Amino acid sequence: MYKYILKRLLMMIPIIIGVTFIIFSMNYITPGDPALLALGEAAPPEAVEALREEMGLNRPFLVQYAYYMINLLQGDLGLSSVTHRSVFLEISDRFPTTLALAFYGTILSVLIGVPLGIISATKQYSIFDSAATAAGLLAVSIPNFWLGLMLIITFSLNLGWLPPSGLDHPLGWILPIITLGTGSAALVMRITRSSMLEVIRQDYIRTARAKGQKESIIIWKHAFRNALIPVVTAVGLDFGFLLGGAVLTETIYALPGLGRFMVDSIRTRDFMVVQGGVLFLAIAFSLVNLAVDILYAYIDPRIKSQYK
């Protein structure tokens, strides 16, 4: 097991190199002068040229990339050209908000999607199954930005129950979490239903019923545990996508998260922040996938025996 974890961690190295090269290349060919944006349009050409020299923007592409990788190996993500603070500190200040939003959104999707998927599978073709399937299809089809605006209009402007933006009050988390977790809940519900339908038709489920085992034990102990692998995969991937896909939700609710900060950095051509943010999210997504693979071993003993 430890060898497998070490192997997966080593496999992250080429992924990180590839991500850094791609995003560095995209930033390099993007129009706009970071030095001019940092000093302003009215800055004298001498000052702009001096800042370009200081930032290393006059060097060839490969030389700039080499210096960036050398600094990265030393734990230096560079300085923001807008705030003049360390990129690592800028990301560290905002990533906890994005992480918490993605985590709570995932928890909400599991709490809603898994029970609905199990009930839909055990009551296939019933009225509940049809209603849950239709609701799931509707939830997947609704764009996050539209749902967020409708929730603000309904619960903040009309009813006045919840704050429309910010995290100054604990209730400020409710609307963003609902906005982010609704679509994910529909996906988890559909995966759970499909996986449970496949499992409950197996011979060992019929054998357990023939022996007089309680239906609740059959569903939760025998069927659900063997149906968990696809569900865990979907939840893990969804959590990783929510880490990088919370931009719209953070923008609608004015949350100080990493996604919104990266969008603002793209507008201001703050390339160091964009590179650092993408790299940070790529590493986080890889670690989530590793955690999901490790969790497989504790769900299914057959997978754990393969690691040995």
Side-chain angles (χ1 to χ4, degrees):
M1 189 67 178
Y2 295 106
K3 292 182 179 180
Y4 174 77
I5 296 175
L6 179 60
K7 181 181 178 181
R8 286 295 304 271
L9 291 175
L10 292 176
M11 289 173 61
M12 290 175 58
I13 296 177
I15 295 176
I16 293 173
I17 295 175
V19 169
T20 56
F21 184 80
I22 292 174
I23 191 63
F24 194 90
S25 302
M26 294 178 65
N27 287 335
Y28 184 80
I29 63 178
T30 300
D33 189 347
L36 184 61
L37 290 171
L39 296 177
E41 296 290 340
E46 296 81 7
V48 175
E49 189 62 29
L51 183 58
R52 284 181 57 84
E53 186 67 30
E54 180 183 347
M55 297 173 65
L57 299 176
N58 292 330
R59 300 167 181 165
F61 168 75
L62 292 179
V63 175
Q64 292 185 39
Y65 179 70
Y67 273 99
Y68 177 75
M69 292 302 296
I70 291 173
N71 293 332
L72 183 62
L73 292 175
Q74 298 173 355
D76 183 12
L77 293 176
L79 295 176
S80 169
S81 59
V82 176
T83 63
H84 304 290
R85 293 183 66 208
S86 169
V87 172
F88 181 79
L89 293 178
E90 294 283 5
I91 294 175
S92 300
D93 291 342
R94 293 165 175 82
F95 183 69
T97 301
T98 300
L99 180 63
L101 185 61
F103 177 76
Y104 292 132
T106 304
I107 293 297
L108 178 64
S109 68
V110 171
L111 292 178
I112 296 176
V114 170
L116 289 180
I118 294 175
I119 297 174
S120 296
T122 54
K123 299 182 181 298
Q124 189 181 14
Y125 304 130
S126 64
I127 297 178
F128 180 88
D129 182 28
S130 301
T133 303
L137 182 60
L138 178 64
V140 171
S141 304
I142 296 177
N144 277 357
F145 69 88
W146 185 87
L147 178 61
L149 293 175
M150 292 301 103
L151 290 176
I152 291 175
I153 292 173
T154 303
F155 294 100
S156 298
L157 299 181
N158 294 338
L159 299 177
W161 292 351
L162 300 171
S165 62
L167 298 175
D168 299 330
H169 194 278
L171 294 178
W173 286 97
I174 295 179
L175 293 184
I177 290 173
I178 294 175
T179 302
L180 201 62
T182 302
S184 301
L187 175 64
V188 172
M189 188 273 290
R190 295 171 64 184
I191 296 295
T192 304
R193 179 182 182 277
S194 176
S195 183
M196 283 291 294
L197 284 175
E198 183 178 350
V199 170
I200 61 179
R201 293 167 179 163
Q202 299 297 320
D203 292 337
Y204 63 87
I205 299 296
R206 286 192 288 268
T207 302
R209 287 194 174 116
K211 290 182 177 180
Q213 188 68 266
K214 291 183 179 180
E215 188 67 18
S216 59
I217 295 178
I218 294 174
I219 296 299
W220 290 102
K221 185 176 180 180
H222 298 289
F224 180 61
R225 182 171 182 178
N226 287 282
L228 263 181
I229 295 296
V231 177
V232 170
T233 303
V235 171
L237 291 176
D238 187 60
F239 177 68
F241 285 126
L242 291 184
L243 283 175
V247 178
L248 289 176
T249 304
E250 292 175 359
T251 302
I252 292 171
Y253 294 100
L255 304 181
L258 180 58
R260 182 187 173 198
F261 181 58
M262 288 178 61
V263 172
D264 294 338
S265 299
I266 293 174
R267 293 196 187 104
T268 58
R269 301 295 191 273
D270 197 350
F271 295 147
M272 283 296 180
V273 171
V274 177
Q275 291 169 188
V278 172
L279 177 61
F280 205 85
L281 291 176
I283 294 175
F285 192 86
S286 300
L287 292 176
V288 169
N289 286 336
L290 175 60
V292 169
D293 288 345
I294 295 174
L295 191 59
Y296 288 164
Y298 293 95
I299 296 175
D300 193 338
R302 294 171 297 180
I303 298 178
K304 189 173 183 179
S305 64
Q306 294 177 5
Y307 293 151
K308 295 180 180 179

